Each structure stands twice: as structure tokens, then as C-alpha cells.
Amino acid sequence: MRKPHIRSVAVAVAVVTAATGLAGTAFAGPTTGEARSVASATNADAVVAAARTAAFAHASVTGVSTGDELHAQDVMLDPEGARHVRFERTHNGLPVLGGDLVVHLDHKLVYTGVTRAADQSVKPAAATKAKLTADQAAAAAARAAKGEAGTAQLVVDARDGASALAYQVTVTDQDGTNTVVVDAVTGKVRSNTPDSDQFLSPKLVKSLQKQGVTADPVIGAARSAALARAGAPTGAKAAYPSAASGTGKTLFDGSVGLTTTQTSRGHYQLADPSRYGTEVRDAKGKTTESFGAGTKFTGTTNVWGNGTTSNRASAAADAQYGITKTLDFYKKTFGRKGIANDSKAAHGLVHWGSRVANAFWDPTCNCMLYGDGDGRTFKKPLVVLDVTGHELTHGVVDATAKLEPTYVDADGNQYGEPGSLNESLADIFGSNVEFYANNKQDKPDYLIGEKLGLSQKFLRRLDHPSLDKLEGTIDYWTPDTYYTEVHAGSGVSSHAYYLLAEGSGKKTINGVAYNSPTYNKSTVTGIGRTKATAIFYRALTRYMVSTTDFHDARVATLKAAKDLYGASSTEYKTVDKAWAAVNVTAANTPAAKH
């Protein structure tokens, strides 16, 4: 998934909209409140200072204590006046894993509440001293992750009800990096987590290979007519580099327009200057985590690919199209400028590794990594649109709530509700990217991975998750959900989202038949995808933290609905009904977290 490290202290100021005035089912309209000026640095500093002061003044509920320092990661200013500051924490100078919190203020900067990851004290006992040296911890981490260990850093591990002195180590092997946390007193490995999020779990890939399943999607459907319409490149200008209008002849999405860079007369590069320099490069079979190590796609025509795998630029055209559509979805829907809301480029590397049957979001390079398939189970590059939207959403989660799996098994499979919620949000917003793009070659739907060529016709689906027999995705919450692999567990909140948006029962959308059941046999009338998506996005950015589970997510979305529409609104009441319909209620909230 992602590296649970403490980042350098930086304040990102963003005005995020109320999202109640979005126009059209494809989110084509301007964002409500976007015209409101972004706060000056001085105002942001004042908000951070007020939130930090409030956190210590209300220590009994915020959990901060002597020796803690709070480092602002994000400042969110709502058009209606509320302010929210997301903090990461250090204790006596040591980064605290699972110590993140969001402090909420009103328009007068008066404290209104907190969302916190750790429910217990985050400081180890005063007498606790490290018994392992940094070198010993690094050696233990290297053995656990079977790679080369970097420098071990002392941290406080406050995750999962703990408060332990530990070392955090990055371990690198030929497939990427893992973050390993080693107890500084006992030497026990507390966690060993892959840093890159895999679209397909190791468990699923192994199962498909064992069954002899072949996913060989049809590419270039209805391509001939579309390619015939592709005109000559335009956009030549006297000053270089400059933006140019190019054409991508993709594997999955037909002929699409791409904004590219004209580097000189008659020479072009697959990089988009209108979207912060977003670019896709060719990894050429290397398993590099450095975007700079990729080879630039350049050419003397502004046409990229030929719609088949015989041209290496075809997969790059899919990736560039998917990345830019995802950026546009987040910007035009929520005013979010880039994956981390920092107006920086999003990157992708295609043809990554040799026979890799997966796609990844990699926080090490802050980029997408796309495998070409293993040639047996997956026979085409994994560059379909909803895969890109899914994986880049992991980057958005990484920049906001930082939801993490609770534990990882020896094969790299991840478990625990926060990790399942992460996968669910990636599916929810990945599906929304399809609706935003509204591509005739990839009609929008609530199915995930429907163009991968699986005999099941999809990988996961939001309306009735348990129809996914490959991963064993679940429809409803039970106490055993904690022990469910995260892709399978994602069905709980994905189902709640679908019910909130579209409601229960039978419905046909864009030619796809849906029939969403409910746990309690209730009937849920949806509020529409626009409003449901606004609620889930606000919940993610304001009210979720690294340990948020499904019951916490229910509370987060209720708070978001109250912010946007009011506590007596139909929208608020439907949020409650949708969660009850997947068996997540106030009454069955577990007494204690795992």
C-alpha cells in the first residue's frame, strides 16, 4: 500500500467546495465556491496556530500530551466557514505512527471537534529504552522483507492500540520497497508493508494462475472509424516548448485527444504542459521507482500509438489519457489541483518490469507503474481507465487520510478495515472518473475492471459486491470483516456508496443492469451520484484518518452530509439508511478497535 512515514512539515491550503451545485451527471459543471479566493499564507498560519492551540487546550479529547508537537499537513477552508487542519505528530522529536488527527474549527476559529487516529496515549513508558541498535533493527527488517535495508529511524508506534518505541526501516528488493517497523525493545517485526498499492492482490493473481484463467481483453473495438477521423496534429507555434493538440490511438479508449508538448518544429513529447507537466514514460522492462529513469515518448508526428500492442506508445496513450482525465475529474469536481492538491504533475511509467500482471500507485516516485501482463493470465497492459482512476485515488488517500492496512501476511496480502476502506474509495472514485470521461469506447458504469477481459466480465462491482466470485468480495459488515483481505472487504463501503447514490433494487444505467440488495431488506432511494460523491469526498478529506474503519466511515459521511445539506436533510437521512443497509449502525459499533 503506502509508506507510513512522517513527511516534511508543509502546509497546503485548499478551498474545497461545498459541492452542492455540480452540474450534470458527468460532473461537467464548475465547482460551487471555487471563485472564492484562496486564503493568504497569513490566514493559513492563523488557522494552523488556532488549531494547534485548541488541540492542547482540549487535550482530554484530542489526545495530545506533553512532549507532543503537531505538524500541519493540510489546511481546509470550507466555503460555509468551517476550518479543518490535518496534523501529523511527533513525540519528543520522534515521528508517531498512527498519531494523526484533524482539528475542526468554526469560522471564528473556535474549536468544534477532533478526528483522531489513536484512541490511547501515544507515548511509550518513560522508562522505555531501545535495546536494539539501529543496525540490528535494519538487519531484522532486511530479513523480514528479504531485501536491502536503509537507515533505521526511531519512531513511536501508536497503531492498533499500541504505544511502543520502534524502528522504521525502508527495505528495497527488485520488485520495489517495503516499510518495516521493528520493536526497539523486543526486536519483533511489528509490521511489514509494501509501499506500492497493487491493483490486483497477490492472493487473486495466484488464484487466477492456479485456475488457468485467461484475461485477454479485446482492444481497439470500433477502432477503424475512430482512427480514420484522427486529423493531422495541430498546435505548431513559433515559440517552443509549447502546448500542442495531439491524438492518442489507445488500446481501450479508441482515438482520444491529448494535449502534448511541441519541443521544436515538427517534434513532440508526450507531456501535458496544461496539467502541470503530467507525463508518461517508457520503463522499458525495468522495475525502477524513479520516473526520471524512464525514456521519454517523443516523435515527429503528434500521434501516439496505433491502437495495438505492436506500438509501445499505444499503452502510453491509454495511461496519459487516464491520468489526465483523473486530474480533470478531481479539479473540476472538487477544485483539487493535482493528486496531492499541490499543483504538481502526475507521472506514469508503462512497460514496467518483465511480465508484470499488475498496475501500482507508487508513493516512492509519486507515479503510476503499469505492467504489460504476464502473457498467461493477463495478456494485455493494465492501462484501462478505471484502473488508473482507482490507483491515482490511492495517491489522493495517501495525501489525505493515509488509510493503512491493519496487518499484512507473508505473501503481501493486506487485511483490516482501514485498508478495505482505502480500496473502496479507490473503486468509488475510479468509477466516477469513467462517468466524468464519458468515453463511448468505455461506457461509464459501477463495475471495476470490466475491460480486463475476465470471464466474470468485471473484477469488482459496487451495486452487489458479492457477485465477484474471484476475490470473494462481501456485501455486508460482520465482526469478521477485520480478517478479510482488503479488496474483498472493500465491498462494504462500496455497497453503501452505491445505495446512497442509486438506491436499492433493479436499475439499468448505460445499458448495464443493476440489482442492489440490502442487509435489512429495506428499500433505499438514492440521492444521486453527484451528491453521494460530494459526501464521500468531504468525509475523506475532513473526517477520515489513518485508522478509520467502516463504523468511523459512517460517522464521517454523516458529518459530511450534515456540513453539505443539514442534519434534517434527506441526504443526511439517506446516508444513515445506506450504512444500515450494509449492516453498519451505531448499535453494532464494536466496543474497541482491533
Side-chain angles (χ1 to χ4, degrees):
M1 190 159 287
R2 60 175 193 82
K3 194 177 298 181
H5 62 292
I6 300 296
R7 301 179 176 181
S8 58
V9 179
V11 177
V13 183
V15 175
V16 184
T17 80
T20 57
L22 300 174
T25 59
F27 296 103
T31 316
T32 302
E34 194 167 6
R36 185 176 178 134
S37 62
V38 177
S40 68
T42 302
N43 286 340
D45 290 343
V47 173
V48 170
R52 185 179 286 113
T53 298
F56 283 95
H58 297 84
S60 61
V61 288
T62 62
V64 298
S65 61
T66 303
D68 284 353
E69 291 185 5
L70 300 180
H71 307 288
Q73 302 301 298
D74 201 5
V75 179
M76 294 155 282
L77 313 177
D78 296 340
E80 68 273 18
R83 280 83 175 95
H84 315 263
V85 182
R86 187 178 295 276
F87 289 108
E88 288 184 345
R89 185 185 328 210
T90 60
H91 180 73
N92 291 337
L94 300 181
V96 179
L97 308 182
D100 51 305
L101 66 157
V102 183
V103 176
H104 311 292
L105 309 170
D106 68 11
H107 68 286
K108 295 182 179 180
L109 303 187
V110 174
Y111 172 83
T112 59
V114 66
T115 304
R116 52 186 281 200
D119 290 333
Q120 76 293 329
S121 172
V122 301
K123 58 183 180 181
T128 301
K129 302 290 183 183
K131 293 184 178 179
L132 269 69
T133 66
D135 288 344
Q136 288 172 327
R143 289 192 297 272
K146 298 180 175 61
E148 182 177 346
T151 303
Q153 177 188 17
L154 271 176
V155 298
V156 177
D157 187 359
R159 301 170 300 170
D160 202 25
S163 188
L165 188 64
Y167 286 100
Q168 180 174 268
V169 188
T170 298
V171 179
T172 305
D173 64 14
Q174 68 271 18
D175 296 323
T177 61
N178 279 34
T179 294
V180 183
V181 178
V182 180
D183 195 292
V185 177
T186 66
K188 177 184 177 182
V189 174
R190 301 181 64 84
S191 63
N192 176 12
T193 308
D195 291 334
S196 59
D197 186 278
Q198 304 179 20
F199 182 70
L200 303 169
S201 69
K203 181 179 179 180
L204 174 62
V205 172
K206 187 179 293 185
S207 174
L208 293 175
Q209 291 172 342
K210 185 177 180 181
Q211 296 175 47
V213 172
T214 298
D216 190 7
V218 175
I219 58 175
R223 191 175 66 250
S224 299
L227 298 190
R229 291 193 298 270
T234 60
K237 297 181 181 179
Y240 307 112
S242 61
S245 297
T247 300
K249 297 184 178 181
T250 69
L251 299 175
F252 295 101
D253 296 310
S255 182
V256 298
L258 296 173
T259 301
T260 61
T261 300
Q262 185 168 10
T263 55
S264 64
R265 184 176 179 83
H267 293 85
Y268 304 89
Q269 181 179 339
L270 191 57
D272 188 339
S274 68
R275 295 175 176 85
Y276 326 113
T278 288
E279 181 182 359
V280 171
R281 293 185 180 180
D282 190 344
K284 291 195 170 180
K286 296 180 290 187
T287 53
T288 179
E289 290 186 276
S290 169
F291 178 71
T295 299
K296 297 177 182 178
F297 281 96
T298 59
T300 54
T301 71
N302 205 355
V303 178
W304 309 91
N306 64 1
T308 75
T309 55
S310 67
N311 188 316
R312 297 182 73 83
S314 298
D318 279 278
Q320 184 79 355
Y321 174 73
I323 292 172
T324 54
K325 285 300 180 184
T326 302
L327 291 175
D328 288 353
F329 160 71
Y330 276 107
K331 183 177 180 181
K332 293 183 180 181
T333 309
F334 306 116
R336 189 175 189 86
K337 298 178 180 178
I339 298 304
N341 202 24
D342 56 4
S343 298
K344 291 185 179 180
H347 292 141
L349 287 169
V350 292
H351 310 303
W352 188 85
S354 176
R355 295 186 174 275
V356 175
N358 227 323
F360 313 80
W361 163 254
D362 190 337
T364 303
C365 68
N366 286 311
C367 62
M368 281 292 305
L369 309 176
Y370 297 93
D372 282 337
D374 57 6
R376 293 189 305 151
T377 302
F378 289 92
K379 294 192 174 184
K380 298 293 188 298
L382 281 83
V383 290
V384 299
L385 181 60
D386 58 7
V387 171
T388 295
H390 172 106
E391 291 300 322
L392 285 178
T393 296
H394 283 308
V396 174
V397 174
D398 185 63
T400 53
K402 300 177 177 64
L403 293 159
E404 296 182 0
T406 309
Y407 66 98
V408 182
D409 69 18
D411 294 322
N413 295 294
Q414 303 175 18
Y415 298 83
E417 290 186 25
S420 293
L421 182 59
N422 193 342
E423 292 300 330
S424 170
L425 292 167
D427 280 354
I428 288 166
F429 291 111
S431 173
N432 272 275
V433 169
E434 271 193 6
F435 278 99
Y436 173 81
N438 199 24
N439 185 292
K440 292 182 180 179
Q441 301 292 327
D442 190 359
K443 289 185 179 180
D445 52 46
Y446 290 103
L447 312 178
I448 303 299
E450 72 278 6
K451 299 204 76 172
L452 291 176
L454 294 163
S455 58
Q456 186 176 265
K457 306 301 183 184
F458 57 86
L459 179 60
R460 289 183 296 277
R461 58 188 299 153
L462 278 61
D463 66 313
H464 194 168
S466 65
L467 293 179
D468 163 27
K469 304 303 181 183
L470 294 173
E471 294 179 300
T473 305
I474 59 177
D475 291 327
Y476 312 117
W477 180 86
T478 71
D480 288 337
T481 302
Y482 172 80
Y483 305 102
T484 304
E485 191 275 329
V486 294
H487 295 84
S490 69
V492 175
S493 46
S494 292
H495 193 188
Y497 167 83
Y498 176 87
L499 289 166
L500 178 64
E502 301 290 354
S504 58
K506 294 182 178 180
K507 180 175 266 192
T508 299
I509 304 169
N510 289 339
V512 178
Y514 302 97
N515 189 1
S516 192
T518 59
Y519 179 83
N520 52 4
K521 310 304 180 185
S522 65
T523 298
V524 179
T525 301
I527 61 173
R529 184 171 45 81
T530 299
K531 290 180 178 180
T533 304
I535 289 169
F536 268 70
Y537 180 79
R538 177 170 286 233
L540 166 64
T541 54
R542 269 74 168 165
Y543 299 114
M544 293 185 186
V545 289
S546 60
T547 59
T548 297
D549 60 20
F550 289 132
H551 285 81
D552 295 331
R554 170 186 172 272
V555 173
T557 50
L558 284 169
K559 288 180 178 179
K562 180 181 177 181
D563 289 348
L564 295 173
Y565 307 109
S568 60
S569 66
T570 297
E571 292 82 359
Y572 181 93
K573 294 173 184 176
T574 307
V575 169
D576 196 36
K577 290 178 182 178
W579 282 108
V582 298
N583 197 34
V584 176
T585 67
N588 67 12
T589 302
K593 289 181 179 288
H594 284 278

